[in-house]
Amino acid sequence: MQNIRNFCIIAHIDHGKSTLADRLLEYTHTINKRDMQDQALDNMDLERERGITIKSHAIQMRYVHPANGKEYIFNLIDTPGHVDFSYEVSRAIAACEGALLLVDASQGIQAQTISNLYLAVDHNLEIIPIVNKVDMESANVEDVQDQIIDLIGCKREDIISASGRTGIGIPEILAAVVDRIPEPSGDAEAPLQTMIFDSMFNSYRGVVAYVRLMNGTLRKGDRVKFMATGKEVTAEEVGILRMGLQDTGELQAGNVGYVITGIKVSREIKVGDTMTHLAKPCTTPVKGFEEVKPMVFAGVYPLDNDDFEDLRDSLEKLQLNDASLVFEPETSAALGFGFRCGFLGMLHLEIVQERLQREFDQDIITTVPNVPYFATDMREKRFEVRQPAELPDPNHLSSVEEPYIYAQIITKPEYIGNIMTLCLEKRGILQKQTYLTPTRLELTFHLPLAEIVFDFYDKLKSMTRSYASFDYHILDYRETDLIKLDIKLNGEQVDALSALVHRSKAEQFGRRMCEKLKELLPRQQFQIAIQAAIGQKVIARETISALRKDVTAKCYGGDISRKRKLLEKQKEGKKRMKQFGNIDVPQEAFLKVLKLND
């Protein structure tokens, strides 16, 4: 165990984590130059297209220390940087003893850097600070070093200057991992205590569990059980994580690897569970990472109700690879059977939607996202409201509470006016503003979570030319004036488009929804009335005029009564058609209506 080092890379989004990981893999000859590509650990098309890391990726490297000539085993976990994937970071941190804290030399410390650092400090990880991208013309290494010293209180000589693009500082980083990060603690002879920190589904082998052994030894053929689910199985294959899975037949305490047990039903393995021997079990489960707290909820329905079971299987398999996704069955009058899914944010929702369509070939409809509220009725009974249909009638409602967040925004002073305007529009309350350096300041707001769900992050980035960084955590629940806004098409309510909004924003939101639907819905042979209503009160309306066939085209000359007769006949037909006509809202309309600012 003294030659094992487990560490992860943490940073703000786009500070060069994946590029640095590429150089580490190259330097340790873990990957051949012939097989090398950018973002080598990012194995999803989506990650390459967007240039971001969505999943944590674990890999084992071997490194010979130049000072003592010993070979060391490095278990590296590359983590995402976006706030929506912080759950991935928390799981990676729970499996490590150290972390490389990466800071961009031109952008400095940003909000997610601080958030991930605090997460690592809470788990008592050894921090190795690195200033990345020092080869760039805009690099300001000394200022960024000062920021790091202020943040973590280290010495200037402890900070490593590096470049993931050119390979500067890579030997120093690898040497620092050996010298500074402690070896894992644990006893190979003790009862087996293994934490499952990730998993994936293989069509042929079943569930592949990624594990970190805290104590004991796991061998191929051992009978094991999962402490949370109680499932008893045999370890069919045990090995380490290289660029692929490498069967070694045995894993000892302190190491990171994988286990294949032949389980095909995804719900029988839970990420965060503890695995132990059946004959000689450990007494306590591993205290890993906190339970996932979804903050955005949306309904996910199959286009065809016959695909409901296929969608369930797809969500279960996706949940194995993305433990922050939670779902439960629900029904809708308009959309039939589907699932209520919980996400960590809007980007997470978008990624899950894309993955369901690409990886599992699912055609789905997603309802308007909303956040969880707490309502109290007249009998003082308090209950959670996750979708508009669950909100009682105003006559039976005493009060509603909505979640507030503690938001940190780090930016340049010239953008302070724009950010203030945006946050006050979103019902934010300014708490404090602090100058970190003469050219960087931190703004702290209390904001309703519902206001940042849709477009807050995009607006913040565009109005500050991407200089502002944003991070948040949940604060508490506060009383609010919440109403249910319904969208009706020719008097028929479309419950998939219903939304819970603050009363002050209801008219503006309803008007934008109606205008957007007017653009997106195809015209019919009859007139379509689009209405936004609060209860029975209509607050906004748009009308899509009917397609008109020129029935008088064959009349040339003659009495006007002939034309009038034909027009009256057409009018009667349209009235009858409107009575029985059905308006289908296309999937594209459901998706686009969510992006009201496009």
Side-chain angles (χ1 to χ4, degrees):
M1 271 203 304
Q2 64 192 24
N3 287 2
I4 295 175
R5 298 291 183 272
N6 301 318
F7 65 99
C8 58
I9 305 177
I10 55 175
H12 189 80
I13 191 168
D14 204 29
H15 277 209
K17 293 178 299 300
S18 298
T19 312
L20 188 81
D22 289 349
R23 298 295 79 76
L24 295 173
L25 294 175
E26 266 184 355
Y27 193 88
T28 55
H29 308 294
T30 306
I31 186 167
N32 297 326
K33 282 197 174 179
R34 187 176 59 187
D35 300 329
M36 193 64 203
Q37 56 178 334
D38 288 343
Q39 290 178 259
L41 292 179
D42 294 347
N43 51 18
M44 253 188 268
D45 290 341
L46 264 175
E47 291 179 310
R48 297 187 183 286
E49 283 170 25
R50 291 174 179 248
I52 59 172
T53 301
I54 293 166
K55 278 288 301 166
S56 291
H57 298 277
I59 191 162
Q60 189 173 104
M61 305 180 288
R62 292 185 180 272
Y63 168 71
V64 178
H65 198 296
N68 57 26
K70 285 185 183 176
E71 187 180 60
Y72 290 85
I73 293 169
F74 287 176
N75 290 308
L76 160 70
I77 304 178
D78 179 26
T79 63
H82 195 281
V83 64
D84 277 14
F85 305 115
S86 55
Y87 191 60
E88 292 283 330
V89 183
S90 75
R91 298 196 340 250
I93 283 171
C96 296
E97 280 80 37
L100 306 182
L101 178 71
L102 225 59
V103 182
D104 189 318
S106 56
Q107 294 184 337
I109 285 174
Q110 296 191 290
Q112 197 64 23
T113 316
I114 298 169
S115 176
N116 289 341
L117 173 68
Y118 289 162
L119 208 57
V121 169
D122 286 346
H123 282 78
N124 297 318
L125 264 60
E126 181 63 38
I127 308 295
I128 299 176
I130 300 166
V131 178
N132 195 24
K133 304 186 185 180
V134 294
D135 59 318
M136 291 178 68
E137 285 181 17
S138 56
N140 195 346
V141 180
E142 285 201 9
D143 277 5
V144 174
Q145 285 179 341
D146 290 339
Q147 291 174 27
I148 293 172
I149 291 163
D150 287 345
L151 182 66
I152 63 176
C154 64
K155 296 174 185 172
R156 194 175 292 274
E157 54 268 26
D158 293 340
I159 302 169
I160 300 170
S161 295
S163 167
R165 190 166 60 88
T166 60
I168 297 168
I170 299 300
E172 290 83 349
I173 292 170
L174 291 167
V177 168
V178 172
D179 300 336
R180 297 197 219 168
I181 293 176
E183 63 189 63
S185 58
D187 181 1
E189 302 303 319
L192 181 67
Q193 190 185 38
T194 303
M195 183 182 80
I196 300 169
F197 68 87
D198 207 352
S199 59
M200 59 165 280
F201 189 83
N202 183 299
S203 310
Y204 304 104
R205 310 295 307 275
V207 179
V208 180
Y210 296 151
V211 295
R212 159 72 201 272
L213 272 74
M214 300 301 182
N215 287 300
T217 303
L218 178 64
R219 295 181 180 88
K220 186 176 181 176
D222 285 357
R223 289 288 291 170
V224 294
K225 74 168 183 176
F226 300 104
M227 294 183 83
T229 59
K231 182 75 177 172
E232 298 172 6
V233 288
T234 302
E236 293 178 1
E237 185 176 311
V238 176
I240 56 172
L241 300 158
R242 302 286 280 181
M243 283 310 286
L245 304 178
Q246 188 177 320
D247 187 357
T248 57
E250 181 179 291
L251 281 174
Q252 289 197 336
N255 218 335
V256 172
Y258 73 93
V259 182
I260 297 175
T261 56
I263 288 177
K264 291 282 170 65
V265 183
S266 46
R267 69 178 78 93
E268 290 176 355
I269 284 188
K270 291 185 184 299
V271 169
D273 197 357
T274 300
M275 186 169 69
T276 187
H277 278 138
L278 193 58
K280 190 184 171 186
C282 63
T283 52
T284 54
V286 180
K287 287 182 179 175
F289 38 89
E290 69 277 5
E291 277 294 305
V292 61
K293 297 185 190 81
M295 277 299 128
V296 176
F297 290 88
V300 174
Y301 294 84
L303 272 181
D304 186 344
N305 262 329
D306 294 342
D307 297 334
F308 174 73
E309 286 302 327
D310 285 347
L311 181 59
R312 185 201 293 274
D313 289 345
S314 302
L315 282 167
E316 283 177 355
K317 285 171 185 171
L318 186 57
Q319 193 180 41
L320 274 176
N321 198 234
D322 182 357
S324 51
L325 170 68
V326 295
F327 64 91
E328 57 188 35
E330 73 165 7
T331 54
S332 154
L335 301 170
F337 293 100
F339 296 92
R340 192 83 190 151
C341 297
F343 308 93
L344 295 183
M346 283 300 282
L347 178 63
H348 186 210
L349 185 154
E350 240 178 273
I351 295 296
V352 167
Q353 231 169 284
E354 284 260 354
R355 290 185 71 184
L356 282 171
Q357 287 165 350
R358 289 187 188 200
E359 296 173 28
F360 301 98
D361 203 23
Q362 293 291 322
D363 291 323
I364 55 168
I365 289 173
T366 312
T367 62
V368 176
N370 56 274
V371 301
Y373 298 92
F374 278 100
T376 307
D377 61 18
M378 292 300 187
R379 296 174 182 173
E380 297 301 312
K381 184 185 171 188
R382 190 170 182 261
F383 53 92
E384 194 174 21
V385 175
R386 290 188 181 179
Q387 54 179 316
E390 292 174 358
L391 191 72
D393 195 67
N395 302 335
H396 303 120
L397 202 59
S398 171
S399 65
V400 182
E401 296 162 55
E402 67 176 333
Y404 266 70
I405 60 162
Y406 179 87
Q408 289 170 286
I409 299 168
I410 296 176
T411 185
K412 291 189 171 184
E414 57 258 41
Y415 303 119
I416 189 169
N418 292 346
I419 293 170
M420 289 279 198
T421 306
L422 174 66
C423 292
L424 294 173
E425 263 178 30
K426 300 287 186 182
R427 299 190 282 127
I429 305 157
L430 178 67
Q431 297 303 304
K432 64 178 179 184
Q433 65 181 65
T434 314
Y435 275 85
L436 304 172
T437 69
T439 57
R440 291 164 62 76
L441 80 150
E442 180 185 18
L443 294 167
T444 308
F445 283 90
H446 287 179
L447 278 159
L449 179 63
E451 295 287 351
I452 70 153
V453 159
F454 283 101
D455 53 7
F456 181 83
Y457 194 68
D458 295 337
K459 276 187 172 179
L460 181 69
K461 283 291 180 189
S462 60
M463 67 173 44
T464 60
R465 298 180 187 174
S466 288
Y467 277 113
S469 64
F470 172 66
D471 184 40
Y472 68 90
H473 61 258
I474 300 302
L475 196 61
D476 53 18
Y477 279 78
R478 300 180 187 180
E479 199 166 315
T480 186
D481 188 6
L482 193 77
I483 54 100
K484 179 187 170 194
L485 184 74
D486 295 318
I487 300 295
K488 298 180 179 181
L489 300 178
N490 280 352
E492 291 288 322
Q493 188 177 315
V494 184
D495 61 350
L497 293 176
S498 294
L500 296 169
V501 293
H502 192 266
R503 192 178 294 275
S504 64
K505 301 284 179 81
E507 190 174 333
Q508 179 193 1
F509 186 81
R511 203 176 297 266
R512 283 157 67 203
M513 286 279 270
C514 290
E515 287 167 2
K516 194 78 174 176
L517 282 168
K518 186 180 179 180
E519 288 172 32
L520 297 168
L521 291 180
R523 287 174 71 190
Q524 305 288 342
Q525 294 283 347
F526 51 90
Q527 191 183 75
I528 302 173
I530 306 165
Q531 295 170 312
I534 302 169
Q536 297 303 312
K537 183 186 175 185
V538 175
I539 58 169
R541 172 181 169 133
E542 292 287 339
T543 305
I544 301 175
S545 55
L547 286 168
R548 183 174 178 272
K549 182 183 175 185
D550 191 0
V551 289
T552 60
K554 59 187 175 183
C555 296
Y556 46 92
D559 191 3
I560 186 71
S561 59
R562 286 182 64 203
K563 289 186 179 180
R564 196 169 289 134
K565 190 177 176 183
L566 285 168
L567 289 168
E568 286 297 323
K569 193 176 178 184
Q570 184 189 41
K571 193 174 172 184
E572 283 299 316
K574 283 190 185 292
K575 194 184 288 183
R576 198 161 51 249
M577 197 184 287
K578 186 176 179 179
Q579 199 174 343
F580 301 107
N582 194 17
I583 306 157
D584 282 330
V585 181
Q587 164 69 346
E588 293 76 33
F590 274 113
L591 299 180
K592 286 178 183 172
V593 84
L594 305 183
K595 298 177 180 176
L596 290 171
N597 288 319
D598 283 7

